Structures are given as C-alpha cells and as structure tokens.
Amino acid sequence: MGADDTYARLLEGRSGIGKMKYLKSKHTDFPVGEVPFSDDELRDILFIKKDASITRTSLLGATALREALASAGLFPRDKSWKLALVSGITVGGMEKSEQYYYDFLHTRKRDEYIALHDCGACTDMIGQAYPFGFDMLTTISTACSSAANAIILGANMLKMNRTDIVVVGGTECLSKFHFDGFNSLMILDTKPCRPFDKNRNGLTLGEGAAYLVMEREETARQRGISPLCQLSGYGNRCDAYHQTASSPDGEGAYQSMMEALAMAGLQPSDIDYINAHGTGTPNNDESEGHAMMRVFGDQMPPVSSTKSYTGHTTSAAGGVEAAISILALIRGFIPANLNFSEKIDSLNFTPVTEVKQGVELHHILTNSFAFGGNDSSCIFSKIS
Amino acid sequence: MEQLIEELKKEIIEVLNLEGMTPADIDENAPLFGEGLGLDSIDALELIVLMEKNYGIKLQNANEGKEIFKSVKVMAEYINTHRTK
Amino acid sequence: MSIYIQSVSHISIQKPLSEEWMESPVVPDSSFMKSQEPDYKLFISPMEARRMGTLVKRALATSLDTLRKGGCEMPDAIISGTGLGCVEHTEKFLNTLIDNDEECLPPTSFMQSTHNTISSQIALRLKCHGYNSTYSHCGTSFDSALFDAFLQLSLGKIRTALVGAHDEMTPDYFLMLSKLDFWKTHFYDLEQLRRGEESVSISGSCSLSRRLSAEKQESTLCELKDMEMFYRPGILQSQHAINDILLRNNLSIKDIDAVVMGLSGDRDNDDVYYELRDRAFKNTPVLWYKQMFGESFGASSFGVYVGAECLRAGRIPQHLFFFPEEAEKFQKEPRNILVYNHFHDKDHSIILLTK
C-alpha cells in the first residue's frame, strides 16, 4: 500500500498474489491478488467507526483517495478551486450484497446495505470519507477499463474548464460474484497469472484502488504544486468484435493506442515503455500483442504487465497501472513481467523479465481493455 | 442414443435461448459452431455448464469443448461415454 | 460550437417509440408500472437476441430507432447511463451463486451483468469503433453520460453522439427498495403525488436513447445550450449555479419559459424542488414528468426529453404543468427551458435547452 511500498516491491520482484484470505469462496485452488488488510483494519486506517456500514470497495477507494489528495496538497483544501471526483467501479457493493441477499429479500436486517449496493453509492461513500468535500462526483462503469476512462473524462473536464482539479481512478474489491463470474468464463489460472507467456492459462483476479490528482498547468503553478508528470495523450475506442472476446488483430486496441499517440503528437518510437493490459488470458495477450505489433512494428519498446504483481484489479486496473507507470517515469525504472518463460509463437517480442533501474524514461504508454471491447490507452510524459 | 440426441436438442434450445427453433431444425450432424448453428465461445461455455449440471461431466479447460461440440451427435456420444448421472 | 438534440426514442410506461404522451398520456394505476414493449423482432433477430435480457433489447431498439429518425448510420460516440445495468441477469447470477453454492453458474448472466454491456452491444450491432463509455452514478447516470458527450462535442473531438439512459425495475428490486421506504404508501391518483404529503412515487423502467450532433437538421428538437453538475450544493450554491449558467449564456431568469423538475410525489425528494421554486423560480412555470414516466435511476433523461419535445412542438401540453393554475395562464411558444435534477439532494444537475 502506498507509493513507496509499491516501488520497493516492484524493485524486489515481490508479487502480492497469493492464497485467499478475506475472499470466502470455496474455490480456494485459485490464487488471488488481495489487499492485505481486513475491513476492520481499513476502517482503523481511515478512522471510520467499527460499526459504520461501508462496502470494502469504498474502504479501498477511500484509503487510496486519501493518499492521493494528501500528496497533492489537498488535505485540507482551498475551496476557491473546484474539485471533482471521477471513480471507476463495476460490481460496487456486491461483496456485501452477496452475503446479505437473503436478508434483503426476507428479513429486516442489513437493509442499510441495499442502498450501498450500486456503483454510485460506493463513489458517494468514498467522497464522504474526504472531510473537505467535492464539488462534483460521478462514476464510470466500463468494467476493466473504468479507471482509464475516468482519466479521460477528467482530462476533458479540465480542458473545458469545468473543474480546476479532478481526482480520477477506480476501486474494486474481490467478491464471490466477480470471482465466480470470471470462473464461469473459464479464464482464471490456477497458477499466478503468466502474462505474455506461451503457456499462460488465464488471469488472476485482484482487488485494489488507485487515484490520480490532475489539474491544468497554471492551476498547479498557482497552488505552488510541482506536478509529477503530464498526461500527454489518451484514446478510447471500441473493438466491436464480440461480447467478451477480443478480435484477433486487436482493432480496438490498435485504434486506441494510435489515438493516444496522435493526441500526444508522438511517434511510436518515442514510447520508452509499455505497461500492457496483459491479463494472462490466452485471448487478451495474443490480441493485444498483435495490436502492439501493428503500432510498433519491429521497434517494440520494453513491455511488461504488472498484473503479475497485483492480479487483475478490474475497475481499478487503469488507475493502479497509471500509478505504476508514473512511478516508473519519475523514478527511472522499468518493472518486470513476472512468471514469464516462453515466447508466444505469433508475437515478435518478449516482455521485460528483470527490473531495469537507472533508465531515463520520457513517455510511457499504458493500456486498459475490457469486455465488450472497451479499449483505452493513456500516455504519461515527463515534464520537459 | 436417438433419445439422448432428441433430449440434447431440446436442452440446447432451452439453455441457449434459441427462440423459434424446434429440435427438428437442428441437424444432428451439422457443426454447432461457425457455419452450422452459428454459435460462439459463450454458447460453448453454456454447453459446458449444461454437461456438468445434467450429466455430471466437468471439463477443466474450455478448449476441450472444441472437439466435443463438433455436432449434436458427437456431443451425445461423448456424454454417453462419460456421463456420471 | 452548437450542440443539438436531433432525435429521441424511448420505451417506458408510455406508448413505446412514440410521442403520444404529449396528447394522451397513460396515467399510472399502481406504484409498480411495467414498460410497454415494442415488437423487438423489427430490430433484433432471434439469434442476436438469444443472450439479451430485456434491458439490452430495449436499449438496442431505442438506439436503432433514434438513429433511423435522424438518418444517421454511425455515431462518433456511444455513451450510456445506467444505475444498475441489467438487473434481471445480475439477480439470476446471484441467485444461482447462492442456491448452487458457487457451482454451475451461467456465464451469459455474468457477462450481461457488467454495466458496460449495453453500450458495447450497441457498438457491436453498429460495428462502431468510436468512443464508448458507461456511467453508473445513481440518479445522475444519464446526466453524466450527457455531460461526457457535451464536453467532447464542445471540444470538437466528436460530431455526433448516441446518449442513452437504461434501467429496469424487477419485482425483487422493487421489494428491496420498498424496505427503504421508496414506495411507502399505495398509489391511487395523481393528486396524491402532487400533494407530495406521503412517499408514493411511481417506479418505472426506462430506456431512452437520443442523438446529439453538432449540425442542425430539419428534425432537430432543440439546442443543448449548456449544462452543469454539482454535489451537495445547498440551496445558496444551487442558486449560484443557476445564475452562473444563465449569465454565461446571456440570459436572465425572465427568459426561462419553464423549469422541468424531477418532482415525484416523494416528500424527501420533492422538498428540494419546493425550496428551489420558492427561492429561484418564483415566477417560472414548473413542469413535471415522473408522474408519466416513473421514478428510476434514469428518470432524469425523461426530464430532458420532455423539455426538448416541448421546444420542438412549440407548445407545452397542459398536463405537464405541476401547478394547474399555471397551465391556464401559459400561452406563449417556449424558447428556453431549464431542466433541474437531483438525487437524494447529493448529486444535482442543471441543463439548459433552447429553441
């Protein structure tokens, strides 16, 4: 948890994937990427009362949000600047609803969780955990690309002067619903996920939350804040191929990367590192790999999927991976892709298998794709 | 065998929600995927659930379905050999 | 950059894909009102429909209908608002998970439970590779989707957008919300809603698609002039926001011919609007729509629809006036209409429509 801890773990090659501890599924043979804190421990961290009704999705979100706001000088905040929150959430309060569903229908117990079930209610709880308040809230729900799309909406709001500062990202906790859902699609690996490996056999479901604070350059200057980096380009495209599968040539992914590059005014050769979506499912990695080959040809920049550390944090993934990309950019390292051993036949590249330190990075591309072909890409660049 | 094929056709129509179709519309030798019935990977997953629920056959990998779901007849033969209920 | 609402299609308590509610609205007779369904075979083949729940069918039918009306084949963006996605499928998966102890779960239901399936199945049908997104933020899910389209059209990133609001009400979900006092008393007539003394709103399912574009057409309903969203504003801040939006569009409160409010008959919900009426809209006629289209996470989309349709028609039907005495006095052709929406007094939105 936190930027420094994440940095240390990425350097050591220490993955957070392991046995289930808090998720109460009977399918214990699958590993998961759990946040190593119970609900009560998270409540303590946040100074929330033990008996307060709150979903784990909101607890994770509020914890990440607090770190993001504090490091951006918004704890407390100057109310003369408008502040908005855009959060990506998909199954929201389901982890509690699946426990209390019988009560919802047949008893008068646990009624308070009915109102906390939906995605918007989870964002609302996260917003309430910030004592200085937001001027606007909304929730994006595009499954595994939710947080990336939150970044995109936030950027458009800033460009149109509809807010001065915007907090963007996503949160999702593990639930039986989500876990069993992925299992019903038979895309969970019984081993920790092996992105871009020939013998990969599915993803590892994770949980998490991450938020970025974005503002226009002049706002940061006036607030006396030195920004970490610049969001130089972004793209959102739809694969429009199948309800769950990605197209063999990765058309949506290709278009979203090209759109991001065009907006940034960059050539493919300007990209120094790609933090790939790389879930470890046979379909995603092949499709994404082909899309990357279409963009970068035989000049493939270093590639890794950090889902081998975190598992697939679904709605949070775009935020978690943006945060890792920004860490890599400002601290000059390329995280490794764990669990790789053999190249995929049809691809012309292999991922980075050892962490590389002391490298000068200028532009990082990160991909977030989702069911239904909701493909988004963001480019983070060093401030010149 | 004939009976199992008929039963399977009915189950496939029901579980895949093939509105307006009758068992007579399904050729037991025609491919279920692509050209024939035009089913896709999610339908295959539904058929895997059907085999587990109704016949006690559990597949570990979705890829195994490719051979089994070649046609209703092949599927029936597979079920006949492997069923546990 | 001007932004126009080109066409709207809906499936609701009212006659589907029709503007008949302008002349002769269906009057609800219960607090749990079902939608009237069109013939989906006109839009979707049985093979295509095999995995679709009711909500996705509705979303596709309204999307295809609204695109056809304006003669648009391919929008640049598809953006939906849905508070809960396909509840039917979510309940099926959840019930099976509990009853079967995590075994033999239906993959189709899981896939259909993710909220983005609506926007993405529309894209799949249209083969549309453009921008695609989904908002799930309670009663301002639609407002958020509209805001996204508004920003991108204003920035010139897109020229056309298909923006929808899709939510369904199932018997189980209705029951759960009843426990939270959403539908406390039995509904008997519209006057009861008007008095707003109890908590009786009508629950509705909704599916509404509209097409926005940067070009004016013959079929254009109105201009989407401006909009703003804000959180827990309090009455003073709401007033400021209303003044700001008028000021930056060179309008004064006198120029606003009517204000569309999400009055529903639920006292807690309606009090916010009464206060706004007293403070900001003392002399502005108030229109309502939830008595016709019901309350749902997507209900605000009907507020914008009602305002837009009145501007297109150049008149406001009497039954839309919340205060009957205002209906009698009102004679002019409306030019500017404000739509004000809030959810639980947390998320608020103002939308300015002009002829």
Side-chain angles (χ1 to χ4, degrees), chain C residues 8 61 95 131 152 166 174 184 188 207 251 322 326 339 348:
Chain C
V8 181
N95 281 314
Y131 181 91
Q152 293 197 66
H166 309 286
F174 182 81
K184 209 184 306 180
Y188 50 95
S207 190
L251 294 170
F322 185 72
E326 286 178 350
V339 183
H348 291 235

Side-chain angles (χ1 to χ4, degrees), chain B residues 16-21 37-40 42-43 45-46 49 52-53 58, chain C residues 41 46-47 49-52 57 96 100 103-109 111:
Chain B
L16 301 184
N17 198 17
L18 304 173
E19 209 184 304
M21 263 202 174
L37 260 189
L39 302 181
D40 69 5
I42 300 166
D43 297 305
L45 293 169
E46 290 287 355
V49 174
E52 186 176 350
K53 225 157 98 180
K58 199 169 175 149
Chain C
K41 292 203 182 68
M47 201 58 189
R50 73 189 187 281
R51 284 198 285 262
M52 288 175 188
K57 284 187 199 165
T96 319
N100 286 6
E103 300 284 355
C104 293
L105 302 181
T108 300
S109 293
M111 188 189 79

Side-chain angles (χ1 to χ4, degrees), chain A residues 25-27 103-104 107-108 111 124 135 138-139 141 162 180 236-239 243 263 371 374, chain C residues 101-103 111 116 120-121 124 129 131-132 134-137 144 154 157 179 226-227 230-231 346:
Chain A
S25 169
K26 67 188 272 191
H27 302 293
D103 292 322
F104 288 178
T107 76
R108 298 236 41 142
D111 281 0
D124 194 71
D135 297 306
T138 192
T139 310
S141 193
R162 289 314 178 101
D180 288 329
N236 165 316
R237 283 284 179 262
C238 189
D239 202 31
Q243 287 170 37
M263 182 192 266
F371 283 168
N374 281 153
Chain C
D101 193 23
E102 300 187 77
E103 300 284 355
M111 188 189 79
N116 64 328
S120 62
Q121 289 194 62
L124 198 56
H129 290 294
Y131 181 91
N132 194 292
T134 303
Y135 289 83
S136 293
H137 195 69
S144 302
S154 304
K157 287 173 74 76
K179 291 169 72 187
D226 204 346
M227 70 176 292
F230 37 101
Y231 182 68
K346 290 176 176 174

Side-chain angles (χ1 to χ4, degrees), chain A residues 289-341:
Chain A
H290 279 281
M292 279 161 32
M293 279 158 57
R294 286 171 69 190
V295 177
F296 296 96
D298 48 13
Q299 304 288 307
M300 190 66 69
V303 177
S304 67
S305 163
T306 46
K307 289 191 174 70
S308 52
Y309 288 87
T310 59
H312 189 349
T313 59
T314 62
S315 306
V320 169
E321 285 149 34
I324 290 174
S325 297
I326 293 167
L327 269 180
L329 194 71
I330 56 179
R331 299 194 187 180
F333 73 103
I334 294 177
N337 184 109
L338 304 178
N339 312 325
F340 173 87
S341 51

Side-chain angles (χ1 to χ4, degrees), chain A residues 44-84:
Chain A
D44 284 347
I45 291 170
L46 290 162
F47 305 107
I48 292 176
K49 276 191 275 176
K50 279 264 182 296
D51 56 352
S53 301
I54 183 167
T55 60
R56 185 167 171 87
T57 292
S58 296
L59 286 170
L60 294 174
T63 310
L65 183 80
R66 201 176 56 168
E67 187 196 354
L69 287 166
S71 65
L74 292 163
F75 231 102
R77 80 165 169 117
D78 174 352
K79 291 249 180 189
S80 54
W81 303 108
K82 273 197 191 173
L83 177 65

Side-chain angles (χ1 to χ4, degrees), chain C residues 26-266:
Chain C
V26 173
V27 179
D29 54 11
S30 129
S31 26
F32 184 68
M33 286 297 288
K34 287 198 174 128
S35 281
Q36 297 192 50
E37 315 284 348
D39 181 4
Y40 291 111
K41 292 203 182 68
L42 299 173
F43 302 95
I44 313 158
S45 73
M47 201 58 189
E48 241 184 318
R50 73 189 187 281
R51 284 198 285 262
M52 288 175 188
T54 318
L55 192 64
V56 172
K57 284 187 199 165
R58 286 181 189 152
L60 260 182
T62 54
S63 299
L64 295 170
D65 190 61
T66 205
L67 290 175
R68 189 175 57 192
K69 273 186 198 165
C72 172
E73 281 173 9
M74 191 66 82
D76 291 340
I78 298 170
I79 312 172
S80 302
T82 177
L84 282 164
C86 303
V87 183
E88 212 179 31
H89 275 291
T90 306
E91 286 175 350
K92 186 178 172 194
F93 193 81
L94 188 54
N95 281 314
T96 319
L97 186 154
I98 294 167
D99 297 344
N100 286 6
D101 193 23
E102 300 187 77
E103 300 284 355
C104 293
L105 302 181
T108 300
S109 293
F110 174 64
M111 188 189 79
Q112 300 275 356
S113 77
T114 43
H115 301 183
N116 64 328
T117 196
I118 301 168
S119 285
S120 62
Q121 289 194 62
I122 299 168
L124 198 56
R125 168 63 183 260
L126 300 174
K127 294 273 162 256
C128 176
H129 290 294
Y131 181 91
N132 194 292
S133 196
T134 303
Y135 289 83
S136 293
H137 195 69
C138 322
T140 51
S141 301
F142 167 77
D143 314 58
S144 302
L146 190 69
F147 189 52
D148 183 342
F150 177 79
L151 294 176
Q152 293 197 66
L153 283 156
S154 304
L155 286 166
K157 287 173 74 76
I158 54 171
R159 304 278 302 166
T160 54
L162 179 68
V163 182
H166 309 286
D167 266 296
E168 63 183 334
M169 182 58 69
T170 62
D172 278 357
Y173 194 61
F174 182 81
L175 176 82
M176 285 186 236
L177 290 181
S178 303
K179 291 169 72 187
L180 299 180
D181 291 341
F182 268 56
W183 291 281
K184 209 184 306 180
T185 343
H186 190 67
F187 167 77
Y188 50 95
D189 70 10
L190 287 184
E191 282 316 305
Q192 182 194 15
L193 296 187
R194 254 200 188 102
R195 284 195 306 273
E197 287 158 358
E198 297 141 287
S199 168
V200 280
S201 51
I202 309 295
S203 98
S205 295
C206 80
S207 190
L208 181 145
S209 300
R210 75 186 61 224
R211 191 165 62 84
L212 301 179
S213 121
E215 274 140 53
K216 199 170 170 182
Q217 292 180 326
E218 211 171 297
S219 59
T220 297
L221 275 76
C222 69
E223 189 179 342
L224 171 63
K225 194 87 183 163
D226 204 346
M227 70 176 292
E228 198 63 83
M229 293 180 68
F230 37 101
Y231 182 68
R232 288 185 185 270
I235 188 70
L236 284 176
Q237 245 181 300
S238 291
Q239 278 180 277
H240 277 305
I242 293 164
N243 288 335
D244 279 354
I245 205 167
L246 292 174
L247 206 64
R248 70 175 182 240
N249 291 286
N250 301 315
L251 294 170
S252 80
I253 192 75
K254 286 197 206 80
D255 299 316
I256 300 300
D257 300 308
V259 57
V260 182
M261 292 183 172
L263 291 150
S264 69
D266 176 353

